[in-house]
Amino acid sequence: MVDNTVNTTVNTTVKECLIEYGAIQFGEFTLASGQQSSYYINIKDAATQPALLAAIGHAIAELGSYDCVAGVAVGAVPIAVAASLASGKPYAIIRKGEKAYGVGGTVIGDVKGRHVLLVEDVTTSGGSVIYGINALRDAGAVVDTVVTVVDREQGASARLADLGVTLVPLVRVSDLLRQ
Protein backbone atom coordinates (compact mmCIF):
# COMPACT_ATOMS: atom_id res chain seq x y z
CA MET A 1 0.00 0.00 0.00
CA VAL A 2 1.29 3.44 -0.88
CA ASP A 3 1.41 6.11 1.80
CA ASN A 4 -0.50 9.07 0.34
CA THR A 5 1.25 11.66 2.51
CA VAL A 6 4.28 13.26 0.94
CA ASN A 7 7.14 14.16 3.27
CA THR A 8 7.10 17.99 3.40
CA THR A 9 10.91 18.19 3.30
CA VAL A 10 11.01 16.10 0.14
CA ASN A 11 8.10 18.12 -1.27
CA THR A 12 10.07 21.32 -0.64
CA THR A 13 13.20 19.88 -2.26
CA VAL A 14 11.29 18.85 -5.40
CA LYS A 15 9.52 22.20 -5.52
CA GLU A 16 12.78 24.12 -5.09
CA CYS A 17 14.45 22.07 -7.84
CA LEU A 18 11.50 22.62 -10.19
CA ILE A 19 11.84 26.37 -9.69
CA GLU A 20 15.65 26.34 -9.90
CA TYR A 21 15.66 24.42 -13.19
CA GLY A 22 12.97 26.54 -14.82
CA ALA A 23 10.19 23.97 -14.97
CA ILE A 24 7.56 26.74 -14.91
CA GLN A 25 7.30 28.80 -18.07
CA PHE A 26 4.84 31.61 -18.75
CA GLY A 27 3.26 32.48 -22.10
CA GLU A 28 0.48 30.96 -24.19
CA PHE A 29 0.51 27.17 -24.38
CA THR A 30 -1.71 24.35 -25.62
CA LEU A 31 -1.62 21.42 -23.23
CA ALA A 32 -1.78 17.72 -24.15
CA SER A 33 -5.39 17.82 -22.94
CA GLY A 34 -6.12 20.47 -25.60
CA GLN A 35 -6.69 23.14 -22.97
CA GLN A 36 -5.08 26.57 -23.31
CA SER A 37 -2.88 27.80 -20.46
CA SER A 38 -0.89 30.90 -19.54
CA TYR A 39 1.80 28.70 -17.97
CA TYR A 40 3.51 25.41 -18.80
CA ILE A 41 5.11 22.93 -16.43
CA ASN A 42 8.09 21.59 -18.39
CA ILE A 43 9.25 18.63 -16.35
CA LYS A 44 10.74 16.87 -19.38
CA ASP A 45 13.49 19.47 -19.81
CA ALA A 46 13.94 20.14 -16.08
CA ALA A 47 14.26 16.40 -15.35
CA THR A 48 17.42 16.26 -17.46
CA GLN A 49 19.09 17.74 -14.37
CA PRO A 50 20.39 14.98 -12.06
CA ALA A 51 19.53 16.84 -8.83
CA LEU A 52 15.86 17.18 -9.77
CA LEU A 53 15.60 13.63 -11.04
CA ALA A 54 17.22 12.30 -7.86
CA ALA A 55 14.87 14.38 -5.65
CA ILE A 56 11.85 13.05 -7.56
CA GLY A 57 13.10 9.46 -7.37
CA HIS A 58 13.70 9.65 -3.62
CA ALA A 59 10.34 11.33 -2.97
CA ILE A 60 8.53 8.54 -4.82
CA ALA A 61 10.60 5.79 -3.16
CA GLU A 62 9.53 7.08 0.28
CA LEU A 63 5.81 6.72 -0.47
CA GLY A 64 5.36 3.10 0.52
CA SER A 65 5.31 -0.41 -0.76
CA TYR A 66 4.74 -1.47 -4.33
CA ASP A 67 6.28 -4.18 -6.49
CA CYS A 68 7.10 -2.17 -9.59
CA VAL A 69 7.00 1.41 -10.83
CA ALA A 70 5.82 2.31 -14.34
CA GLY A 71 5.59 5.36 -16.57
CA VAL A 72 4.03 6.19 -19.91
CA ALA A 73 6.57 7.09 -22.61
CA VAL A 74 8.13 9.63 -22.98
CA GLY A 75 7.84 12.06 -20.07
CA ALA A 76 7.32 9.59 -17.25
CA VAL A 77 10.07 7.15 -18.22
CA PRO A 78 12.97 9.03 -16.57
CA ILE A 79 10.77 9.46 -13.49
CA ALA A 80 10.07 5.72 -13.37
CA VAL A 81 13.79 4.98 -13.76
CA ALA A 82 14.68 7.46 -10.97
CA ALA A 83 12.08 5.90 -8.65
CA SER A 84 13.33 2.42 -9.56
CA LEU A 85 16.92 3.32 -8.73
CA ALA A 86 15.93 5.04 -5.46
CA SER A 87 13.64 2.21 -4.33
CA GLY A 88 15.45 -0.82 -5.73
CA LYS A 89 12.18 -1.91 -7.41
CA PRO A 90 11.95 -2.82 -11.09
CA TYR A 91 10.29 -0.49 -13.55
CA ALA A 92 8.12 -0.82 -16.62
CA ILE A 93 7.48 1.39 -19.63
CA ILE A 94 4.09 1.86 -21.22
CA ARG A 95 4.31 2.55 -24.93
CA LYS A 96 1.99 5.11 -26.50
CA GLY A 97 0.74 2.36 -28.82
CA GLU A 98 0.95 -1.38 -29.36
CA LYS A 99 4.16 -2.55 -30.99
CA ALA A 100 3.34 -4.94 -33.84
CA TYR A 101 6.86 -6.34 -34.39
CA GLY A 102 9.43 -8.15 -32.25
CA VAL A 103 7.77 -9.39 -29.06
CA GLY A 104 5.01 -6.78 -29.45
CA GLY A 105 2.93 -5.41 -26.65
CA THR A 106 2.18 -2.12 -25.00
CA VAL A 107 4.04 -2.70 -21.73
CA ILE A 108 7.78 -3.27 -21.48
CA GLY A 109 8.59 -5.08 -18.24
CA ASP A 110 6.98 -7.73 -16.06
CA VAL A 111 3.85 -6.34 -14.39
CA LYS A 112 1.51 -9.34 -14.34
CA GLY A 113 0.18 -9.93 -10.82
CA ARG A 114 2.26 -7.07 -9.43
CA HIS A 115 1.19 -4.00 -7.48
CA VAL A 116 2.38 -1.26 -9.83
CA LEU A 117 2.86 2.38 -8.90
CA LEU A 118 2.22 4.51 -11.98
CA VAL A 119 4.18 7.76 -12.18
CA GLU A 120 3.62 10.86 -14.31
CA ASP A 121 5.40 14.15 -14.82
CA VAL A 122 2.35 16.47 -14.91
CA THR A 123 -1.36 15.71 -14.58
CA THR A 124 -4.10 17.95 -15.95
CA SER A 125 -7.18 16.01 -17.00
CA GLY A 126 -5.59 12.61 -16.36
CA GLY A 127 -5.87 11.31 -19.93
CA SER A 128 -2.31 9.99 -20.18
CA VAL A 129 -2.40 8.22 -16.82
CA ILE A 130 -5.82 6.73 -17.55
CA TYR A 131 -4.29 5.26 -20.70
CA GLY A 132 -1.43 3.93 -18.54
CA ILE A 133 -3.77 2.49 -15.91
CA ASN A 134 -5.78 0.66 -18.56
CA ALA A 135 -2.65 -0.68 -20.29
CA LEU A 136 -1.22 -1.93 -16.99
CA ARG A 137 -4.49 -3.50 -15.90
CA ASP A 138 -4.85 -5.17 -19.31
CA ALA A 139 -1.37 -6.64 -18.73
CA GLY A 140 -2.49 -8.09 -15.39
CA ALA A 141 -1.15 -5.45 -13.00
CA VAL A 142 -2.87 -4.06 -9.92
CA VAL A 143 -2.89 -0.24 -10.08
CA ASP A 144 -4.46 1.85 -7.32
CA THR A 145 -2.12 4.84 -7.06
CA VAL A 146 -0.61 7.35 -9.46
CA VAL A 147 2.16 9.67 -8.30
CA THR A 148 2.56 12.85 -10.30
CA VAL A 149 5.42 15.29 -9.92
CA VAL A 150 3.05 18.23 -10.47
CA ASP A 151 -0.73 18.19 -10.36
CA ARG A 152 -2.23 21.11 -12.28
CA GLU A 153 -5.37 20.64 -10.14
CA GLN A 154 -7.66 20.56 -13.17
CA GLY A 155 -9.65 17.38 -12.73
CA ALA A 156 -7.21 14.47 -12.87
CA SER A 157 -7.76 13.52 -9.24
CA ALA A 158 -11.54 13.19 -9.66
CA ARG A 159 -11.25 11.26 -12.93
CA LEU A 160 -8.79 8.80 -11.37
CA ALA A 161 -10.99 8.40 -8.29
CA ASP A 162 -13.75 7.21 -10.63
CA LEU A 163 -11.39 4.35 -11.57
CA GLY A 164 -10.56 3.53 -7.96
CA VAL A 165 -7.14 5.17 -8.23
CA THR A 166 -5.66 7.75 -5.86
CA LEU A 167 -3.60 10.62 -7.26
CA VAL A 168 -0.65 11.60 -5.07
CA PRO A 169 1.05 14.83 -6.17
CA LEU A 170 4.58 15.60 -5.05
CA VAL A 171 3.79 19.26 -5.75
CA ARG A 172 0.56 21.04 -6.58
CA VAL A 173 0.64 23.81 -9.19
CA SER A 174 -0.88 26.19 -6.63
CA ASP A 175 2.27 25.70 -4.52
CA LEU A 176 4.48 26.56 -7.50
CA LEU A 177 2.50 29.60 -8.62
CA ARG A 178 2.76 31.14 -5.14
CA GLN A 179 6.51 31.51 -5.63
Side-chain angles (χ1 to χ4, degrees):
M1 186 64 167
V2 174
D3 180 0
N4 294 336
T5 56
V6 177
N7 178 319
T8 55
T9 303
V10 172
N11 178 306
T12 301
T13 303
V14 171
K15 182 173 78 170
E16 288 171 349
C17 285
L18 289 169
I19 293 166
E20 179 180 349
Y21 295 117
I24 303 174
Q25 300 169 358
F26 294 93
E28 293 303 317
F29 302 95
T30 301
L31 306 177
S33 64
Q35 297 177 22
Q36 296 297 306
S37 178
S38 61
Y39 63 92
Y40 184 69
I41 310 295
N42 191 347
I43 305 273
K44 290 169 190 68
D45 280 344
T48 63
Q49 298 298 321
L52 174 58
L53 205 50
I56 290 168
H58 289 292
I60 293 169
E62 289 184 4
L63 291 177
S65 70
Y66 47 90
D67 301 319
C68 179
V69 61
V72 178
V74 167
V77 172
I79 295 165
V81 172
S84 172
L85 291 170
S87 67
K89 306 283 183 175
Y91 74 95
I93 299 169
I94 304 152
R95 292 185 173 110
K96 291 279 186 173
E98 178 104 18
K99 182 178 148 190
Y101 55 90
V103 295
T106 304
V107 178
I108 301 168
D110 182 16
V111 299
K112 187 172 186 174
R114 292 186 171 185
H115 182 220
V116 177
L117 178 65
L118 183 59
V119 297
E120 179 64 300
D121 56 350
V122 179
T123 51
T124 303
S125 66
S128 180
V129 291
I130 290 170
Y131 169 80
I133 291 164
N134 291 332
L136 288 167
R137 287 178 173 172
D138 289 347
V142 175
V143 183
D144 59 17
T145 306
V146 170
V147 174
T148 185
V149 177
V150 178
D151 180 16
R152 289 183 60 100
E153 302 173 286
Q154 293 181 295
S157 184
R159 287 188 70 199
L160 296 182
D162 289 343
L163 298 174
V165 176
T166 302
L167 180 65
V168 179
L170 298 181
V171 179
R172 288 177 173 80
V173 77
S174 57
D175 296 329
L176 289 172
L177 294 178
R178 277 185 256 171
Q179 295 297 315

